[in-house]
Amino acid sequence: MSANFQIRKVAVLGAGVMGAQIAAHLVNANVETLLFELPAKEGDPNGNVNKALEGLKKLEPSPVASPAKITYIQPANYELHLEKLRECDLVIEAIAERMDWKSDLYRKVAPYLNERAIFASNTSGLSINQLAQAFPENLRHRFCGIHFFNPPRYMHLVELIACTGTDAQLLDQLETFLVSTLGKGVVRAKDTPNFIANRIGVFSMLATKHHAAVFNLGFDMVDALTGRYLGRPKSATFRTLDVVGLDVFAHVVNTMRDNLTDDPWHKHFELPGWFGYLVDQGALGQKSKRGIYQKIGKEIHVLDLHTKEYRLSDAKVDEEVKEILRERDWGMKLSGLRRNPHPQAQFLWATFRDVFHYCALQLERIADNARDVDLAVRWGFGWDNGPFEIWQAAGWQQVAGWIAADIAAGKAMANEPLPVWATEDGRTGVHTAHGSYSPSTQSEQARSILPVYRRQLYPDHLLGEERHYGETVFETKEVRLWHSGDNIAILSFKSKMHTVSNEVLDGILRAVDEAEAHFSALILWQTEPPFSAGANLLQLMQGVQEPAQDAGLFGKIKGAVNRVKYTVAGHGGIGDVLNAAIGNVPHVEAVVAKFQQASQRLKYSQVPTIAAVDGLALGGGCEFSIHCTRIVASLESYIGLVEVGVGLLPAGGGCKEMAQRAAAEAKGGDIFPHLKRYFQNIAMGEVGKSAELAREMGYLKSSDRIVLNRFELLHVAKEEAKALNATAYRPPMHQRQIPVAGRTGIATLKAAMINMREGGFISEHDYNIGCRVAETMCGGDVEAGSLVDEDWLLDMERKNFMELLATEKTQARIEHMLKNGKPLRN
């Protein structure tokens, strides 16, 4: 295998749900991709693939970072295009989970593979060694399992599974490609049924189902208890089943039942009568519009086990149990649940106990170490913490004692004792600064030393591991400036959702000064997403679609708003809001001016400034980004100027910057067509739901970088800073002659908005806000083509911001956002 091996072109075999979405994510990463399917029986031979590509366009959340990406997937079929496989360095099989079908396909395509190609099966649980038997013996060293989780764009986990003869170097090269090119978290799994994440995740669901029946809890009650209170997706347990599909879940459980006959929990690998009742009716979950849940109008209904009818979902968690679940300390939480006699508490403790018990006993069989189990469950099912992390955080010896006592009392789902390693004296957990425990070697295994992981300066962190973010330059309540031993300064915010307050503005101004005096560059990077949810000045925030691992195996996009706990009493006026929002700063306009000053300092700093964006970059967060020398954004960045949601306009330089970009794009010609799209983005509060879309909207420039693995973001940002300095970086020159669209542009934009207002698409106040955005971006009441400078545009931003702030309707919008965490349309 060549040390310089590169995966240039990939073929995906099978255009079903997973195959088509894997192909979509490959083109997200700019990988040339062929998508194969059986030839259509009539018409275009590629008809089956084309139908699958049309289906991709309808999926929500979108499997592609930009709709245009779908056109890069090349359709192919097994009758006409097998020769094209010779051009591919990686072939991923993603057809139905049938050993016989897969074996037939392997025999068919093997003669067309080139001598360096990797062939991988995306099976979710079939034996890789058994599948390899259908592969020619002389090619088996290039065969492995590559299990993506659904949806492939959003779920971080990919499990890599070797067969007995897989070439070790080949697997390392495939891992490198998955981590850096596709942005994935790779876990090496042993060849056991359902591998790691599904084995543990599905057992957790089976244990939840079992104890729900024991404690007589309805499906909606179980979901109310097992979602965000436990640091798991909002879809919890049974909603997740509906999203995954009851038929898919049944297949995974049947795989366990058929292949794990010696598992001490084997008798629990059964599906209850109600499950078969739903499947027989075709109620398979979300894809059939009915499953455990059913949406009737705007109401969510849930199956009642006693009546077999759907009833309104209205579960309420017991107040005492709720208090326990709000406890942040896992030791307090688990002991509280164990002690409390309420069925809801007992159900939760029993489920935790049996999942811990199962993980401890199966660890040696399914994984190399405890870290791989925790990361697989986190990345594959969207848990905030893996099972071993929770056990360790709650006090290892204490929890082990509780589990052992329950096993002895016959309360556990299996009577097998905990393994010796789990109960040995002095054990405080499985994760340490040196590595994670491996039962097979009875030692702590460090993380992978593959060179690709050197790009992850701060990889995903496990409870129990040490984490140290460099040396502090200065630190305040709201920000910290630090470095990691090189000459690049890093500024991280400490505010909730990394919102921008008056103190954060002070921190940015001071950080630029420090960077110019002592460092070669300044990077804005947060230790956790989001980058910034906007200005805390008036809690500028608006509901947007954000990625979250919200449905376990499938993930969802959910509306993300900054849910501010501060409540404005009655209608005390904007003064009250401002006092809360900006900490009694007396002059709001001075704070807005400071915001503009901070943006301008980032733009004109003597050293390059890099915005390393991950997650939300809204309002002020977006404004800071677009003023930096470069943006380095993770693909899952959600970028936009959303101030209209609270009745305002961007006044941290956002309007000014987009007007400048329009003028630059016009190159001396008509500014208006270029300005119009930026105006629409701002006036409609549009957000780019990926870094690619943000680039199409003009928030990212062609020189800005998009990174698929968010854990590589800081590394790439530092490399960009070094590259800028390698060319003797100088800041841009101040623009003193910016052509603007003037009163003609304002009139044209107003005319379009009048039509929208008359048609009932926007309110009178929306029209008022839009007019002020138009005035600001067009440079005010001047002739079209007039030349202005940046200060002129910044003054217009401030003036219109303050005048909107004085209106009752904007005040109502701000107060509504502060009270309810969502925008008011008035």
Side-chain angles (χ1 to χ4, degrees):
M1 186 69 59
S2 161
N4 217 15
F5 176 74
Q6 286 185 324
I7 293 173
R8 295 162 298 185
K9 186 183 283 191
V10 178
V12 179
L13 310 183
V17 173
M18 278 303 285
Q21 290 195 74
I22 291 169
H25 192 58
L26 285 160
V27 293
N28 283 340
N30 294 327
V31 177
E32 199 172 339
T33 303
L34 296 165
L35 181 59
F36 277 80
E37 192 44 272
L38 293 165
K41 288 178 179 164
E42 50 192 51
D44 182 352
N46 286 333
N48 291 329
V49 177
N50 290 330
K51 187 178 173 187
L53 296 180
E54 282 303 308
L56 288 176
K57 296 174 186 175
K58 297 171 191 160
L59 285 178
E60 276 297 327
S62 175
V64 283
S66 161
K69 291 282 185 184
I70 293 176
T71 62
Y72 291 99
I73 300 172
Q74 301 167 46
N77 66 77
Y78 302 119
E79 198 170 276
L80 300 174
H81 304 122
L82 286 177
E83 282 290 339
K84 292 189 176 200
L85 289 174
R86 299 191 197 280
E87 305 162 12
C88 298
D89 304 305
L90 170 63
V91 179
I92 300 171
E93 170 270 304
I95 67 168
E97 291 287 88
R98 285 268 304 262
M99 187 74 72
D100 53 342
W101 291 0
K102 288 179 188 286
S103 299
D104 287 345
L105 181 62
Y106 296 175
R107 284 188 279 269
K108 185 173 188 172
V109 302
Y112 297 93
L113 301 176
N114 72 51
E115 73 281 355
R116 66 175 183 276
I118 302 168
F119 191 96
S121 173
N122 182 56
T123 178
S124 60
L126 297 179
S127 167
I128 298 302
N129 281 297
Q130 210 176 326
L131 285 169
Q133 295 308 305
F135 216 63
E137 198 170 342
N138 64 320
L139 300 180
R140 268 178 218 161
H141 64 288
R142 292 191 268 131
F143 183 81
C144 65
I146 182 172
H147 181 209
F148 287 84
F149 275 64
N150 199 351
R153 171 182 164 187
Y154 300 98
M155 300 308 287
H156 191 57
L157 178 65
V158 173
E159 291 174 317
L160 264 190
I161 313 100
C163 70
T164 309
T166 305
D167 181 284
Q169 188 185 1
L170 171 145
L171 220 55
D172 288 349
Q173 288 167 331
L174 184 53
E175 181 166 349
T176 298
F177 170 77
L178 290 166
V179 170
S180 215
T181 304
L182 297 192
K184 295 301 168 194
V186 173
V187 168
R188 301 276 184 108
K190 294 185 178 181
D191 187 19
T192 54
N194 293 337
F195 312 126
I196 300 174
N198 275 347
R199 181 77 172 269
I200 301 303
V202 169
F203 176 80
S204 174
M205 287 180 166
L206 290 171
T208 303
K209 169 197 69 76
H210 170 79
H211 291 300
V214 169
F215 292 100
N216 194 28
L217 300 180
F219 298 122
D220 52 343
M221 178 54 74
V222 170
D223 282 350
L225 290 163
T226 59
R228 290 309 301 154
Y229 281 128
L230 303 186
R232 296 179 194 172
K234 202 171 152 190
S235 58
T237 304
F238 293 112
R239 280 183 196 276
T240 297
L241 280 187
D242 270 1
V243 174
V244 170
L246 271 61
D247 52 340
V248 175
F249 184 72
H251 171 78
V252 178
V253 174
N254 291 338
T255 301
M256 289 172 74
R257 188 182 65 238
D258 296 344
N259 296 290
L260 294 169
T261 50
D262 61 344
D263 191 304
W265 284 264
H266 184 264
K267 68 180 180 183
H268 296 289
F269 301 161
E270 296 288 343
L271 294 166
W274 60 261
F275 204 98
Y277 167 78
L278 287 173
V279 172
D280 290 346
Q281 287 187 39
L284 303 178
Q286 200 164 277
K287 59 188 166 191
S288 60
K289 310 285 189 218
R290 187 163 68 95
I292 296 165
Y293 290 90
Q294 182 179 17
K295 195 170 184 182
I296 301 174
K298 290 191 174 178
E299 293 178 337
I300 304 294
H301 290 243
V302 63
L303 184 72
D304 189 303
L305 274 178
H306 303 294
T307 65
K308 295 283 200 323
E309 300 289 328
Y310 287 90
R311 60 167 174 79
L312 190 65
S313 174
D314 59 356
K316 295 281 188 294
V317 177
D318 175 76
E319 286 303 319
E320 257 189 66
V321 175
K322 203 183 279 185
E323 280 306 306
I324 297 169
L325 291 173
R326 283 180 178 145
E327 174 60 60
R328 288 179 177 271
D329 181 276
W330 276 109
M332 301 284 284
K333 188 179 285 191
L334 291 188
S335 64
L337 293 172
R338 189 169 182 268
R339 283 196 316 269
N340 192 296
H342 196 286
Q344 293 174 10
Q346 287 301 299
F347 153 76
L348 284 169
W349 160 249
T351 307
F352 270 115
R353 173 198 66 217
D354 288 315
V355 170
F356 293 157
H357 186 192
Y358 192 78
C359 289
L361 211 74
Q362 300 300 344
L363 173 58
E364 186 169 358
R365 298 181 178 95
I366 67 173
D368 291 332
N369 55 64
R371 174 178 57 251
D372 288 350
V373 169
D374 277 346
L375 290 179
V377 173
R378 277 168 49 164
W379 294 343
F381 279 77
W383 293 20
D384 290 354
N385 299 116
F388 286 124
E389 285 185 284
I390 295 169
W391 182 350
Q392 180 169 330
W396 188 273
Q397 292 291 349
Q398 176 174 256
V399 174
W402 291 341
I403 297 168
D406 279 9
I407 295 168
K411 292 179 179 179
M413 287 169 69
N415 57 14
E416 197 85 3
L418 283 168
V420 173
W421 67 262
T423 55
E424 64 192 10
D425 286 345
R427 176 164 296 285
T428 57
V430 289
H431 303 305
T432 71
H434 308 293
S436 295
Y437 185 71
S438 166
S440 55
T441 63
Q442 296 183 15
S443 65
E444 290 165 343
Q445 282 189 359
R447 287 179 179 253
S448 170
I449 56 167
L450 277 180
V452 69
Y453 291 109
R454 292 182 208 143
R455 296 168 60 86
Q456 298 188 15
L457 306 181
Y458 298 96
D460 209 352
H461 184 235
L462 289 166
L463 294 177
E465 290 181 327
E466 288 180 357
R467 165 102 350 147
H468 176 61
Y469 291 107
E471 300 301 315
T472 301
V473 179
F474 74 80
E475 187 167 10
T476 69
K477 189 181 166 193
E478 298 275 285
V479 301
R480 176 176 178 248
L481 187 72
W482 55 284
H483 66 89
S484 50
D486 51 21
N487 63 348
I488 296 173
I490 301 163
L491 184 70
S492 301
F493 300 176
K494 294 160 63 180
S495 51
K496 186 178 179 183
M497 297 282 284
H498 304 134
T499 49
V500 183
S501 64
N502 190 41
E503 292 76 14
V504 168
L505 296 174
D506 289 335
I508 290 171
L509 292 169
R510 184 176 168 190
V512 176
D513 288 344
E514 286 281 351
E516 287 180 332
H518 304 294
F519 295 92
S520 66
L522 173 65
I523 297 174
L524 271 55
W525 177 78
Q526 316 300 4
T527 57
E528 296 288 339
F531 177 75
S532 174
N536 199 29
L537 178 67
L538 294 165
Q539 308 296 350
L540 290 180
M541 199 52 182
Q542 180 182 18
V544 298
Q545 298 297 326
E546 178 202 16
Q549 298 159 332
D550 204 32
L553 292 173
F554 267 66
K556 292 277 273 180
I557 293 286
K558 66 178 181 180
V561 294
N562 182 18
R563 303 199 177 279
V564 183
K565 289 195 169 70
Y566 177 79
T567 302
V568 180
H571 289 275
I574 199 64
D576 294 347
V577 181
L578 291 174
N579 285 341
I582 61 172
N584 295 314
V585 174
H587 302 296
V588 181
E589 189 167 0
V591 178
V592 178
K594 190 191 290 184
F595 209 122
Q596 295 178 335
Q597 184 194 355
S599 294
Q600 293 291 86
R601 283 290 280 128
L602 288 168
K603 183 172 182 176
Y604 293 108
S605 163
Q606 292 301 311
V607 296
T609 56
I610 316 284
V613 175
D614 181 37
L616 299 178
L618 303 179
C622 175
E623 287 177 297
F624 287 152
S625 303
I626 61 179
H627 280 84
C628 285
T629 317
R630 286 280 187 279
I631 297 174
V632 175
S634 70
L635 184 71
E636 300 310 326
S637 294
Y638 296 73
I639 302 172
L641 297 168
V642 296
E643 285 82 350
V644 294
V646 285
L648 293 165
L649 53 71
C655 291
K656 175 269 303 178
E657 192 65 20
M658 304 326 281
Q660 260 185 292
R661 290 190 185 186
E665 287 166 17
K667 295 177 180 171
D670 185 5
I671 299 161
F672 189 77
H674 304 277
L675 187 75
K676 184 181 170 188
R677 73 169 179 140
Y678 293 132
F679 168 79
Q680 285 174 331
N681 290 342
I682 292 173
M684 302 298 288
E686 292 286 344
V687 173
K689 294 178 190 173
S690 73
E692 286 283 2
L693 285 172
R695 198 195 301 276
E696 288 174 21
M697 293 168 71
Y699 290 128
L700 266 66
K701 294 178 286 196
S702 57
S703 55
D704 293 328
R705 307 290 178 209
I706 296 175
V707 178
L708 269 82
N709 196 320
R710 57 177 289 259
F711 296 106
E712 294 184 353
L713 197 61
L714 184 57
H715 165 79
V716 176
K718 286 190 171 196
E719 293 301 309
E720 278 294 304
K722 290 174 192 172
L724 285 162
N725 281 318
T727 54
Y729 176 77
R730 297 287 301 171
M733 304 281 277
H734 283 269
Q735 269 191 282
R736 294 183 171 82
Q737 293 193 321
I738 305 161
V740 292
R743 64 176 74 95
T744 311
I746 297 170
T748 310
L749 293 173
K750 277 187 176 179
M753 287 189 289
I754 287 168
N755 288 337
M756 291 181 75
R757 185 186 62 189
E758 298 307 313
F761 296 107
I762 61 173
S763 69
E764 185 65 40
H765 194 50
D766 290 328
Y767 172 74
N768 181 21
I769 298 163
C771 289
R772 291 176 180 279
V773 174
E775 184 190 1
T776 304
M777 296 186 74
C778 293
D781 187 15
V782 295
E783 289 291 330
S786 294
L787 301 176
V788 302
D789 61 13
E790 286 182 276
D791 288 339
W792 174 274
L793 293 171
L794 289 170
D795 289 346
M796 297 218 68
E797 275 187 0
R798 271 201 323 281
K799 174 182 86 78
N800 281 301
F801 181 93
M802 294 309 296
E803 287 175 6
L804 280 170
L805 196 51
T807 65
E808 285 185 15
K809 288 196 171 178
T810 285
Q811 291 173 27
R813 286 193 181 192
I814 294 164
E815 293 189 10
H816 188 272
M817 176 66 81
L818 290 168
K819 283 180 183 176
N820 304 299
K822 53 188 174 184
L824 169 72
R825 299 308 302 269
N826 59 358

